[in-house]
C-alpha cells in the first residue's frame, strides 16, 4: 500500500508512474488526497473540542475548590454538551478513515525507475541468458507424452479425482517432485535462508498484507465458512511472519525459504498454453523471501536474482532473464525479473520464477517496521522470488534431457533422486 505522504508530495509524478503500469483510475490519487484533507479537518475539529473539554474540566476543579458550585455545574453542562458533539465526529472519522483505506488499497505499487515502458510480455527486456538449447533425439516428445510413456503423471486421474489442473504424480514422478523440493530447500538454506513450513491457508488480513487482497480475490480459492484463503504461494504466510512486528536492526537481513503447495484458480486461462504442466490449479513451489533495510533492498534484489540463476544453471537448463515492463508487472511489485526456461519439445519459453522488490508496499500494509540508528521508526522493504516453481521445471527437465533410452537427470539432482536416469 502506498503512503499518503508519497501521494501528497508529488501527485502528478505518482500519476505518471501509475500510468507506466497502465493503471486506469488515476483520479483515485486526487480522491485519496481529498479524503486525507477531510480526515485532517475532522481530526482538527475533534482536537479543538477535546481541548475545550480539557480546559473546562480543569476550570471545574478550580471552581469546586473555590466553593462556586453553581458556576461549576453550569460548566459541567457545557462540557456535557461538548462531549455530545464528539460522537458524530468519531463516527465521521471512522467512515472517512475506512473509505481512505479502501481507496488506497486499490492503488498498485509504483514502478521503479529501471522498469521499461510497455504493455505486453513482448515488450519485456531480456537482461541476459545462459545455457544451451539441446539437440533432441529423433522422435522427441513433449512432456505430456513423456509423463505417460514413463508413468510419471496421470492427468486424467487428476481430472477424475478433482478436475482439470490437478495432476496425480506417480512412482518416479512423485519421487522427482520430492527430490526437487529437497534440493531447492537445501540450496536455499546453504545460502543462509531459514526454512519455514507455513500453513497452507491464511486469513484475510494475511492476504491483504502481501497484496493478494483485494487485487487477486478472484484468483484465490476461498472457504467462506472459515473465512480462509488457500495460499497462491508461500510468500503470503511467510512474509506475514513479520506482520505487526518491530524488527531490531541486528536481525537484518531476514532471509526465509519455504516449500508449499500453491492453489490458483487461473480464471480465464485456455488454449495450448494450459496443456500438461504448463498451467495448473495446484502445484508445488519453493519460495525465498527477504526483509531488509530500504537502502539495501536493490543490492539484495540483485543477490536474489543471482541466487535463482545459479540454481537454474545447476539444473543444466537454457534460460533467459527478463526485466518486466510496466504493463506486465504484478500489482504489488516495484520491479520484477522473470526467469524463463526454454522448452525444447514445445519450442517456447516457460516462466519458472519471478524475483521482485516490493519496496515498502507490503510492509506498509503489514506494519513491518524497524527503528533506524536515530531511533526513528521506518518501514522495512520486502522481496521475494520463486526458487523454484516445479511444474514447468519438470516439463523442461523431461523434454530437454530426454534421450532415446530415458530421461538423463542433471548431476545435481542425482543424489536426491537416487538415480541418474528415469527409464
Amino acid at each position: 500500500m502506498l503512503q499518503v505522504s508519497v501521494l501528497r508530495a508529488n501527485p502528478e509524478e505518482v500519476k505518471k508512474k501509475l500510468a507506466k503500469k497502465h493503471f486506469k483510475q488515476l483520479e483515485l490519487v486526487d480522491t485519496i488526497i481529498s479524503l486525507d484533507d477531510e480526515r485532517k479537518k475532522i481530526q482538527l475539529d475533534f482536537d479543538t473540542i477535546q481541548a475545550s473539554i480539557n480546559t473546562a474540566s480543569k476550570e471545574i476543579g478550580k471552581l469546586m475548590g473555590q466553593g462556586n458550585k453553581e458556576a461549576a455545574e453550569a460548566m459541567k453542562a457545557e462540557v456535557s454538551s461538548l462531549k455530545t458533539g464528539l460522537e458524530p465526529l468519531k463516527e465521521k472519522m471512522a467512515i472517512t478513515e475506512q473509505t481512505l483505506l479502501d481507496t488506497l488499497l486499490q492503488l498498485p505499487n509504483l514502478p521503479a525507475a529501471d522498469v521499461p515502458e510497455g504493455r505486453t510480455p513482448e515488450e519485456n527486456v531480456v537482461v541476459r541468458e545462459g545455457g544451451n538449447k539441446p539437440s533432441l533425439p529423433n522422435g522427441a516428445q513433449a512432456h505430456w507424452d513423456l509423463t505417460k510413456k514413463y508413468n510419471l503423471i496421470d492427468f486424467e486421474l487428476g481430472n477424475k479425482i478433482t478436475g482439470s489442473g490437478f495432476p496425480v504424480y506417480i512412482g518416479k514422478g512423485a519421487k522427482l517432485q520430492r527430490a526437487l523440493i529437497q534440493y531447492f530447500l537445501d540450496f536455499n538454506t546453504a545460502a543462509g535462508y531459514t526454512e519455514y513450513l507455513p500453513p497452507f491457508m491464511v486469513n484475510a488480513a494475511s492476504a491483504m498484507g502481501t497484496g493478494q487482497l483485494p487485487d487477486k480475490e478472484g484468483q484465490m480459492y476461498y472457504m467462506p465458512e472459515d473465512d480462509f484463503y488457500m495460499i497462491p504461494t508461500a510468500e503470503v504466510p511467510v512474509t506475514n511472519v513479520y506482520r505487526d512486528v518491530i524488527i531490531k536492526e541486528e536481525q537484518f537481513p531476514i532471509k526465509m525459504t519455504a516449500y508449499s503447495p500453491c492453489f490458483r484458480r487461473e480464471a480465464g486461462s485456455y488454449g495450448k498454453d494450459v496443456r500438461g504442466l504448463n498451467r495448473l490449479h495446484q502445484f508445488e513451489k519453493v519460495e525465498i523471501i527477504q526483509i531488509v533495510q530500504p537502502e539495501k533492498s536493490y543490492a539484495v534484489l540483485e543477490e536474489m536474482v543471482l541466487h535463482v540463476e545459479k540454481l537454474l544453471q545447476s539444473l543444466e537448463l537454457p534460460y533467459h532473464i527478463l526485466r518486466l515492463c510496466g504493463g506486465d508487472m504484478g500489482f504489488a511489485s516495484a520491479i520484477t525479473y522473470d526467469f524463463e526456461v526454454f522448452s525444447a519439445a514445445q519450442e517456447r519459453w516457460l516462466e519458472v520464477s519471478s524475483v521482485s522488490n516490493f519496496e515498502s508496499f507490503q510492509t506498509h500494509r503489514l506494519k513491518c517496521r524497524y527503528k533506524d540508528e536515530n531511533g526513528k521508526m521506518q518501514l522495512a522493504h520486502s522481496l521475494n522470488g520463486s526458487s523454484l516453481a516445479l511444474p514447468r521445471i519438470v516439463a523442461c527437465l523431461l523434454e530437454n534431457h530426454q534421450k532415446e533410452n530415458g530421461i538423463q537427470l542433471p548431476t545435481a539432482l542425482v543424489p536426491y533422486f537416487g538415480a541418474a536416469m528415469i527409464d
Side-chain angles (χ1 to χ4, degrees):
M1 182 170 66
L2 297 176
Q3 298 176 67
V4 177
S5 60
V6 172
L7 275 63
R8 297 193 71 99
N10 195 335
E12 294 310 310
E13 181 65 19
V14 168
K15 291 177 188 177
K16 183 179 177 182
K17 289 181 178 181
L18 288 173
K20 193 176 188 180
K21 268 196 168 183
H22 297 272
F23 181 71
K24 303 296 185 184
Q25 297 173 278
L26 300 181
E27 71 280 358
L28 291 182
V29 174
D30 297 321
T31 301
I32 288 165
I33 292 172
S34 295
L35 285 166
D36 192 47
D37 286 339
E38 183 179 352
R39 180 193 64 79
K40 288 181 176 181
K41 183 180 182 305
I42 297 168
Q43 188 67 58
L44 179 61
D45 291 345
F46 185 91
D47 291 345
T48 300
I49 294 174
Q50 187 63 60
S52 297
I53 291 171
N54 294 340
T55 300
S57 297
K58 290 178 182 177
E59 189 62 28
I60 288 168
K62 289 180 182 178
L63 290 170
M64 291 295 287
Q66 295 168 358
N68 194 346
K69 187 175 181 182
E70 184 178 343
E73 290 299 326
M75 192 157 284
K76 282 182 182 180
E78 183 181 337
V79 168
S80 179
S81 177
L82 287 170
K83 286 182 177 178
T84 301
L86 287 180
E87 290 308 312
L89 286 176
K90 285 181 181 179
E91 293 176 12
K92 191 175 181 182
M93 178 63 87
I95 293 169
T96 302
E97 287 182 336
Q98 188 60 53
T99 305
L100 176 59
L101 175 61
D102 291 343
T103 311
L104 268 171
L105 289 174
Q106 296 178 53
L107 292 184
N109 200 0
L110 302 179
D114 288 343
V115 171
E117 297 283 353
R119 183 184 295 271
T120 66
E122 289 70 32
E123 296 168 276
N124 295 333
V125 176
V126 176
V127 176
R128 60 180 175 271
E129 51 189 36
N132 298 308
K133 295 179 181 179
S135 297
L136 297 184
N138 292 331
Q141 297 175 300
H143 71 270
W144 48 80
D145 293 320
L146 292 169
T147 55
K148 183 178 290 186
K149 177 179 179 180
Y150 295 107
N151 194 29
L152 305 175
I153 302 173
D154 194 324
F155 294 100
E156 289 74 19
L157 184 56
N159 290 344
K160 183 183 86 168
I161 295 171
T162 306
S164 177
F166 294 89
V168 176
Y169 298 83
I170 300 169
K172 292 180 180 179
K175 188 175 183 180
L176 179 60
Q177 289 283 110
R178 181 159 44 87
L180 283 165
I181 291 166
Q182 189 62 61
Y183 173 54
F184 294 167
L185 287 171
D186 285 354
F187 191 90
N188 295 342
T189 55
Y193 289 87
T194 299
E195 183 180 351
Y196 285 74
L197 183 60
F200 302 151
M201 295 182 282
V202 293
N203 54 34
S206 293
M208 191 278 285
T210 48
Q212 274 65 38
L213 292 181
D215 179 60
K216 294 288 189 297
E217 187 167 10
Q219 296 293 340
M220 299 176 74
Y221 287 100
Y222 177 59
M223 287 151 286
E225 186 171 341
D226 304 290
D227 196 24
F228 288 158
Y229 293 85
M230 301 298 293
I231 62 170
T233 165
E235 170 202 343
V236 180
V238 174
T239 310
N240 270 275
V241 168
Y242 286 90
R243 172 154 53 94
D244 297 319
V245 171
I246 297 174
I247 299 166
K248 296 178 180 178
E249 275 216 273
E250 58 265 26
Q251 292 177 266
F252 290 124
I254 292 168
K255 303 173 71 172
M256 301 175 283
T257 186
Y259 149 78
S260 79
C262 304
F263 305 89
R264 301 183 185 180
R265 292 186 64 242
E266 298 287 7
S269 298
Y270 61 92
K272 65 178 182 178
D273 291 354
V274 304
R275 190 170 182 186
L277 295 170
N278 287 353
R279 194 172 295 277
L280 302 174
H281 295 304
Q282 177 184 319
F283 60 95
E284 283 65 46
K285 184 153 68 83
V286 175
E287 199 81 358
I288 51 173
I289 293 113
Q290 289 209 43
I291 299 175
V292 300
Q293 301 100 318
E295 67 273 14
K296 297 182 179 179
S297 70
Y298 276 86
V300 168
L301 175 65
E302 295 303 318
E303 170 199 311
M304 292 172 72
V305 168
L306 286 172
H307 177 82
V308 173
E309 185 174 13
K310 289 176 184 176
L311 182 54
L312 273 177
Q313 288 169 346
S314 74
L315 295 175
E316 302 169 26
L317 292 170
Y319 65 90
H320 62 200
I321 306 171
L322 307 170
R323 185 185 296 129
L324 298 193
C325 67
D328 198 34
M329 285 172 58
F331 181 84
S333 173
I335 188 168
T336 295
Y337 290 93
D338 268 8
F339 287 77
E340 294 183 337
V341 170
F342 188 72
S343 167
Q346 298 178 72
E347 297 185 336
R348 57 191 296 261
W349 293 94
L350 299 177
E351 180 196 333
V352 295
S353 175
S354 287
V355 181
S356 300
N357 188 349
F358 303 106
E359 297 184 352
S360 62
F361 190 83
Q362 290 182 334
T363 54
H364 185 35
R365 291 176 174 225
L366 296 163
K367 293 185 175 65
C368 174
R369 299 163 293 170
Y370 71 100
K371 288 184 179 179
D372 64 18
E373 58 186 10
N374 299 316
K376 186 178 178 181
M377 201 69 77
Q378 304 282 2
L379 289 170
H381 277 194
S382 64
L383 307 93
N384 92 282
S386 311
S387 180
L388 292 158
L390 269 71
R392 294 171 185 171
I393 285 291
V394 170
C396 292
L397 279 174
L398 297 178
E399 293 180 6
N400 292 17
H401 292 288
Q402 62 182 298
K403 308 295 180 185
E404 292 181 357
N405 60 336
I407 311 295
Q408 179 76 50
L409 293 179
T411 303
L413 273 184
V414 173
Y416 291 88
F417 186 75
M421 292 282 292
I422 296 175
D423 50 25

